[in-house]
Amino acid sequence: MQFKHATLAFDGAVAILTLDHQEVMNAVSVDMLGGLSQALDAIEDKKAEVRCLVITGAGRAFCTGANLQGRGNNNQMSTGKLAGAALETAFHPFLRRLRKLHCPIVTAVNGPAAGAGMSFAMMGDIILCTRSSYFLQAFRRIGLVPDCGSTWLLPRLIGKARALELSLLGEKLPAETALQWGLVNRVYDDAVFWDETMKMARELAAGPTVALSLIRKLYWDSPENSFEDQLNLEFEAQQIAGSAGDFIEGVTAFLQKRPAQFKGK
């Protein structure tokens, strides 16, 4: 399925959403965000069938941040209105939808992930990258502050000191260092990267989707909760998971010493 600067494909229960504006190394525009939102609509229309989402980039980049082409002569830039105008109207709704998605997200970082592109990468529940890829908090290079959730996501992944270092200095973070710092889950050689990505995605898609969705919510909500709040949230989530058919299948398969055949419901 083709949308504005975005494509959506399906591999069984895995949806593959590709940022696709290779002329600008998949830099994000309002048009692209519209296309990505339409793709999420299509995924939600197939909610019962889609059990994992992979987000990647077309060509040699994952996403190089916001598309700045055509902005240089705009008078609004001097007031600061242009820089932040699209955040609440376009970027934030997309990010909020990813947070609340019904299934696990794998971000497959196949090249540079800079600025907003780095934020998009960090939205993955599992973050995979090629050995040749890198991450960049590029905002300071154009006199802006990190956005698209970077200042919330980054210190929770790698700590305040390293988050500040990346943001204040604007230095590239190579894939291997990102792995050592805990920013990403796994790094693969470029030649096997996509095969390994799909192997991971299919494994998640074959899992108990109701429980996996609740796991996502628990970890997203935990930084904002007290211990008691989190205990209550776990209790509520466990009641929902325990009422799903996959729980019965999981226990039955365990007792029968066979692999579980989860249906995602």
Side-chain angles (χ1 to χ4, degrees):
M1 302 173 72
Q2 187 69 49
F3 304 96
K4 188 70 171 179
H5 302 317
T7 60
L8 179 63
F10 297 95
D11 182 312
V14 178
I16 304 166
L17 178 56
T18 305
L19 284 64
D20 192 359
H21 195 181
Q22 296 185 53
E23 295 83 357
V24 292
M25 296 183 72
N26 304 324
V28 187
S29 62
V30 172
D31 283 345
M32 177 187 280
L33 286 165
L36 292 171
S37 294
Q38 288 179 318
L40 289 184
D41 290 340
I43 290 170
E44 289 176 1
D45 287 343
K46 297 169 69 72
K47 183 176 180 179
E49 302 168 40
V50 175
R51 297 170 63 184
C52 181
L53 170 63
V54 174
I55 302 177
T56 192
R60 59 194 180 94
F62 178 74
C63 174
T64 53
N67 189 346
L68 300 178
Q69 288 191 5
R71 293 188 176 190
N73 297 320
N74 195 308
N75 291 332
Q76 284 182 296
M77 291 195 75
S78 62
T79 68
K81 292 180 180 178
L82 184 64
L87 287 176
E88 194 59 28
T89 59
F91 284 88
H92 292 175
F94 176 67
L95 293 168
R96 290 179 180 121
R97 290 183 72 181
L98 289 182
R99 172 173 177 168
K100 296 177 180 178
L101 198 70
H102 70 281
C103 63
I105 299 173
V106 175
T107 44
V109 182
N110 57 306
M118 185 171 174
S119 296
F120 285 11
M122 290 189 290
M123 291 298 294
D125 303 305
I126 302 289
I127 306 172
L128 311 177
C129 64
T130 60
R131 207 167 299 280
S132 64
S133 61
Y134 65 83
F135 300 86
L136 176 64
Q137 284 288 290
F139 302 95
R140 60 95 67 205
R141 297 189 176 194
I142 57 172
L144 291 178
V145 302
D147 58 25
C148 291
S150 287
T151 59
W152 192 93
L153 293 162
L154 197 54
R156 284 167 170 80
L157 288 171
I158 63 173
K160 177 185 173 184
R162 285 171 169 164
L164 273 168
E165 177 185 346
L166 290 179
S167 302
L168 293 175
L169 299 180
E171 296 175 340
K172 291 180 180 179
L173 180 66
E176 292 289 353
T177 307
L179 179 63
Q180 294 169 11
W181 285 10
L183 179 67
V184 305
N185 296 94
R186 299 182 188 182
V187 175
Y188 295 108
D189 291 336
D190 293 39
V192 301
F193 173 68
W194 189 248
D195 287 342
E196 293 294 336
T197 294
M198 291 307 297
K199 179 180 177 182
M200 175 75 72
R202 292 182 186 116
E203 180 177 342
L204 289 167
T209 308
V210 173
L212 299 186
S213 176
L214 291 167
I215 290 170
R216 294 189 75 237
K217 177 175 172 54
L218 286 168
Y219 280 103
W220 268 109
D221 290 350
S222 65
E224 302 167 2
N225 287 340
S226 69
F227 181 62
E228 287 299 323
D229 289 337
Q230 197 65 14
L231 288 178
N232 291 333
L233 192 61
E234 288 176 354
F235 169 69
E236 294 168 4
Q238 201 69 291
Q239 286 189 310
I240 297 171
S243 300
D246 279 341
F247 169 63
I248 298 173
E249 165 61 13
V251 173
T252 302
F254 174 79
L255 294 174
Q256 294 178 354
K257 296 181 172 55
R258 60 171 175 82
Q261 301 294 318
F262 295 118
K263 303 297 183 184
K265 55 187 177 180

